[in-house]
C-alpha cells in the first residue's frame, strides 16, 4: 500500500494489477495511468485550486468542439486557423506547465498570439462548465502540490516507493509530478528506453530518462 505505480495506458495498468494480485492477497498498491492518479487526487483536493469535486473531464473531441465555440465567439476564422492546431498548441503549453495567463509572454508570431487569446477564453469556458481537459489533470495536480505542501506531504507519506513505466514518454508535467511525489523518500524507480520514445508530439522528453541519474 506504500507503492505507487504509474504508466500510460489502462491496458498496461490492468496487467500490473493482475500480476500483483497473483503475488499477494493483501491490499494492492495503486496501479494506474498518470491521468487516473490525477483524477483521484483532484476529486479529493481540487477545490483548493478552484476545481469542483464533481468536475467533468473533456475528451479530445469535447475540447475541439469547445475550441471551435471559442473561436466563433472571438471571431477567429477556422479557415485561417486550424482549430486542431490551436488545441495542439494549447496542449503543448499545458504540458510545459504554462498557464493561460502566462502564455501571451511566450507567444511568438501571429499564430501563437492568436492561440494565446483562444487559450484564455478556452480556460474560462472550461471553468464555466466545471470541466477540465486531460492536460489540466496533470497541470492541476502539479499546481495543487506546489501551492499546498501539506497535501503534497500526505501523498509523499502515502507513497514511499514510486515506480514509473515507459519513462521515456514522460513530458515536463509528468516529470515534475513524479519528482514532487518522490521528493521525501527519494525511492524512485523508472523503466524505459530512450530509443523507444513515441510521444514527442505531445511533449514527451526522452531526456527525462537519459538524464535520470542527475
Amino acid at each position: 500500500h506504500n507503492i505507487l505505480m504509474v504508466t500510460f495506458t489502462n491496458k498496461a495498468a490492468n496487467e500490473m494489477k493482475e500480476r500483483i494480485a497473483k503475488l499477494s492477497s493483501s491490499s494492492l498498491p495503486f496501479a494506474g495511468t498518470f491521468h487516473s492518479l490525477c483524477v483521484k487526487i483532484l476529486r479529493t483536493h481540487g477545490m483548493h485550486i478552484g476545481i469542483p469535486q464533481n468536475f467533468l473531464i473533456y475528451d479530445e473531441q469535447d475540447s475541439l468542439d469547445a475550441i471551435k465555440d471559442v473561436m466563433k465567439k472571438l471571431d477567429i476564422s477556422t479557415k485561417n486557423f486550424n482549430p486542431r492546431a490551436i488545441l495542439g498548441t494549447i496542449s503543448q503549453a499545458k504540458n510545459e506547465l504554462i498557464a493561460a495567463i502566462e502564455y501571451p509572454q511566450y507567444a511568438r508570431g501571429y499564430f501563437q498570439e492568436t492561440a494565446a487569446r483562444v487559450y484564455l477564453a478556452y480556460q474560462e469556458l472550461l471553468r464555466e462548465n466545471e470541466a477540465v481537459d486531460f492536460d489540466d489533470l496533470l497541470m492541476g495536480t502539479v499546481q495543487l502540490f506546489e501551492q499546498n505542501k501539506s497535501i503534497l506531504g500526505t501523498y509523499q507519506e502515502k507513497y514511499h516507493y514510486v515506480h514509473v513505466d515507459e519513462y521515456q514518454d514522460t513530458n515536463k508535467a509528468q516529470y515534475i509530478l513524479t519528482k514532487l511525489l518522490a521528493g521525501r523518500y527519494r525511492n524512485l524507480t523508472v523503466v524505459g528506453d530512450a530509443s523507444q520514445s513515441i510521444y514527442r508530439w505531445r511533449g514527451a522528453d526522452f531526456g527525462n530518462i537519459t538524464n535520470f541519474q542527475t
Side-chain angles (χ1 to χ4, degrees):
H1 62 276
N2 286 134
I3 296 173
L4 169 67
M5 297 186 296
V6 286
T7 186
F8 281 87
T9 66
N10 288 316
K11 182 180 178 183
N14 289 333
E15 284 185 19
M16 286 180 177
K17 292 174 185 175
E18 288 169 8
R19 292 177 190 179
I20 299 162
K22 292 175 183 176
L23 295 172
S24 172
S25 59
S26 62
S27 60
L28 299 178
F30 179 91
T33 64
F34 276 100
H35 292 95
S36 65
L37 171 67
C38 291
V39 169
K40 186 181 174 76
I41 292 169
L42 291 176
R43 291 277 185 218
T44 307
H45 305 286
M47 71 285 294
H48 292 281
I49 56 169
I51 298 176
Q53 189 173 25
N54 296 317
F55 60 84
L56 300 173
I57 301 173
Y58 276 21
D59 63 18
E60 188 175 357
Q61 187 58 52
D62 294 328
S63 295
L64 189 58
D65 290 342
I67 291 290
K68 290 175 181 176
D69 287 345
V70 165
M71 290 176 68
K72 187 175 181 180
K73 288 178 184 175
L74 295 176
D75 198 24
I76 297 170
S77 170
T78 55
K79 291 181 180 178
N80 296 335
F81 296 92
N82 186 320
R84 195 173 292 277
I86 294 281
L87 179 60
T89 300
I90 293 170
S91 177
Q92 202 169 18
K94 290 183 179 183
N95 289 332
E96 291 292 319
L97 300 176
I98 301 172
I101 199 166
E102 300 169 320
Y103 187 68
Q105 65 185 300
Y106 296 99
R108 296 292 179 270
Y110 191 47
F111 179 84
Q112 289 188 354
E113 289 168 1
T114 303
R117 291 173 57 208
V118 176
Y119 188 1
L120 282 163
Y122 172 62
Q123 290 305 113
E124 185 58 38
L125 180 64
L126 288 174
R127 275 192 295 272
E128 288 173 5
N129 293 335
E130 298 190 342
V132 298
D133 63 20
F134 285 133
D135 298 315
D136 287 327
L137 293 171
L138 297 170
M139 191 174 178
T141 305
V142 170
Q143 182 186 355
L144 173 70
F145 284 163
E146 289 182 338
Q147 292 183 9
N148 197 310
K149 298 304 181 187
S150 64
I151 293 174
L152 171 60
T154 298
Y155 284 93
Q156 288 176 333
E157 196 56 46
K158 182 178 178 66
Y159 299 124
H160 293 201
Y161 305 91
V162 180
H163 299 266
V164 186
D165 187 30
E166 304 289 3
Y167 194 67
Q168 77 279 353
D169 288 325
T170 51
N171 57 35
K172 182 177 180 179
Q174 289 157 334
Y175 165 73
I176 296 296
L177 178 61
T178 304
K179 189 173 182 178
L180 287 167
L181 284 167
R184 179 170 297 179
Y185 290 98
R186 300 179 65 80
N187 295 318
L188 175 60
T189 304
V190 305
V191 178
D193 178 354
S195 67
Q196 292 185 27
S197 182
I198 59 173
Y199 289 118
R200 188 68 191 231
W201 55 272
R202 71 170 189 200
D205 181 2
F206 64 81
N208 289 345
I209 195 164
T210 56
N211 299 323
F212 178 71
Q213 287 180 295
T214 54

